[in-house]
Amino acid sequence: MSKSDWHWPGGKSVAVLINICLEAWSDGVAPGISPMGNPLPPGVLDTMAISWASYGAKCGIYRLLDALAASDAKASVMTSAIIAERSPQVVKDIAGAGHEVLSHSYAMDVIPALLSREEQKRNIARCTALLADASGGPVQGWLSPRGTSGPGHPRLLAEAGYRWHGDVFDSDLPYVQDFDGARIVAIPLATDVNDMPFMKHGNPPDLMRRSFEENLVIAREDGGPSVIDVTVHAHIFGRPRGARVFRDIVQTAATSPDVWLATRQQMADFVLQQS
């Protein structure tokens, strides 16, 4: 959708998308980042990084869900499907609270761009089944690890019945992709209000609040329609200081009369209705 004389539902000029990354890695695989600055020698399993990342599904996600509940706000939760195998109750709790469960591939080390076409199709089917079974509802959105899906992946998602994906970074607004009649909404993922940069080098979490507020000012000056992504990781901002800042950002968005606080699925539905 290109900018023109239109607004989001309710005449709102700014859409805020709350994204939570609930991530996990395959058995025996460690995340490539952690709070430790000194890398281990090649071939040594980083058990610290594994334990650090595991915090998200054990503790962090519930603290973030509580922050959302304080403002009666809903989020889109990018979920590694392996969590539906390891901890299905977590996925059930997310869906039970009314949040959107979307696929974040099987695990963070299962990146579609590194898979063959047939492997991509099997991965899509596997993730869809696991997350649908655990959440008790359909899975209609996808965002790949690193946002890196490969050139043919959106078509495979559309053919599998997905309504939206987020593996694009080339626009301010969502747009429809049509693959021989199989339509899917591409919803760009903006990275300016994201907890990942703010956890590095000892930066305080409050920097993310400032980034959100600056983006909101700019969006209002622009006149809309605009989109602001607010993205947190359950194993990073799910800890006490980060969760407090997240709660404050959500509250600001939820109480702003010109803001449409939406899930990505709701945005996809709106775009498809207009096109």
Side-chain angles (χ1 to χ4, degrees):
M1 299 175 72
S2 60
K3 289 198 174 187
S4 57
D5 188 20
W6 61 271
H7 289 88
W8 298 114
K12 308 295 179 68
S13 60
V14 183
V16 172
L17 302 175
I18 305 295
N19 311 294
I20 296 178
C21 302
L22 182 60
E23 300 176 341
W25 284 254
S26 299
D27 294 340
V29 178
I33 63 169
S34 79
M36 297 298 104
N38 53 325
L40 295 174
V44 178
L45 184 64
D46 192 342
T47 55
M48 182 276 163
I50 292 174
S51 181
W52 173 72
S54 298
Y55 183 93
K58 290 183 178 180
C59 303
I61 185 62
Y62 288 104
R63 188 173 284 115
L64 295 176
L65 292 180
D66 287 344
L68 290 163
S71 293
D72 193 25
K74 305 305 177 188
S76 298
V77 184
M78 309 175 197
T79 310
S80 300
I82 194 172
I83 294 176
E85 291 182 326
R86 293 173 175 170
S87 307
Q89 186 62 46
V90 175
V91 181
K92 183 177 180 180
D93 290 342
I94 294 167
H99 303 290
E100 176 189 7
V101 174
L102 64 109
S103 181
H104 204 27
S105 193
Y106 178 70
M108 292 303 293
D109 49 292
V110 182
I111 300 173
L114 303 179
L115 305 178
S116 69
R117 185 175 186 276
E118 288 306 312
E119 288 171 334
Q120 290 178 48
K121 291 174 67 175
R122 289 195 295 270
N123 185 49
I124 291 170
R126 183 186 195 186
C127 294
T128 306
L130 284 170
L131 292 172
D133 183 61
S135 67
V139 179
Q140 301 183 59
W142 180 287
L143 210 153
S144 298
R146 310 183 71 253
T148 309
S149 63
H153 200 257
R155 174 186 283 271
L156 296 179
L157 290 171
E159 292 174 347
Y162 276 73
R163 291 175 66 83
W164 73 267
H165 76 96
D167 294 341
V168 292
F169 305 85
D170 57 356
S171 177
D172 293 324
L173 295 171
Y175 55 92
V176 176
Q177 294 177 310
D178 192 313
F179 301 101
D180 299 322
R183 303 169 78 231
I184 188 169
V185 180
I187 305 178
L189 176 66
T191 58
D192 199 32
V193 188
N194 186 305
D195 64 354
M196 190 69 74
F198 302 116
M199 59 80 65
K200 297 179 180 179
H201 312 299
N203 288 328
D206 197 61
L207 284 179
M208 183 168 167
R209 187 208 323 262
R210 286 170 49 189
S211 179
F212 172 73
E213 292 172 349
E214 289 169 3
N215 274 271
L216 190 55
V217 168
I218 293 168
R220 285 167 171 162
E221 291 175 348
D222 190 49
S226 301
V227 181
I228 301 174
D229 274 293
V230 175
T231 304
V232 296
H233 297 71
H235 61 289
I236 298 177
F237 257 44
R239 299 169 197 268
R241 266 207 314 169
R244 174 176 288 185
V245 169
F246 175 70
R247 181 198 63 195
D248 292 345
I249 291 173
V250 172
Q251 183 181 45
T252 297
T255 56
S256 296
D258 57 344
V259 168
W260 178 40
L261 191 55
T263 65
R264 288 178 160 252
Q265 181 59 59
Q266 289 171 329
M267 181 167 284
D269 290 342
F270 173 80
V271 171
L272 289 171
Q273 288 170 4
Q274 311 307 308
S275 59

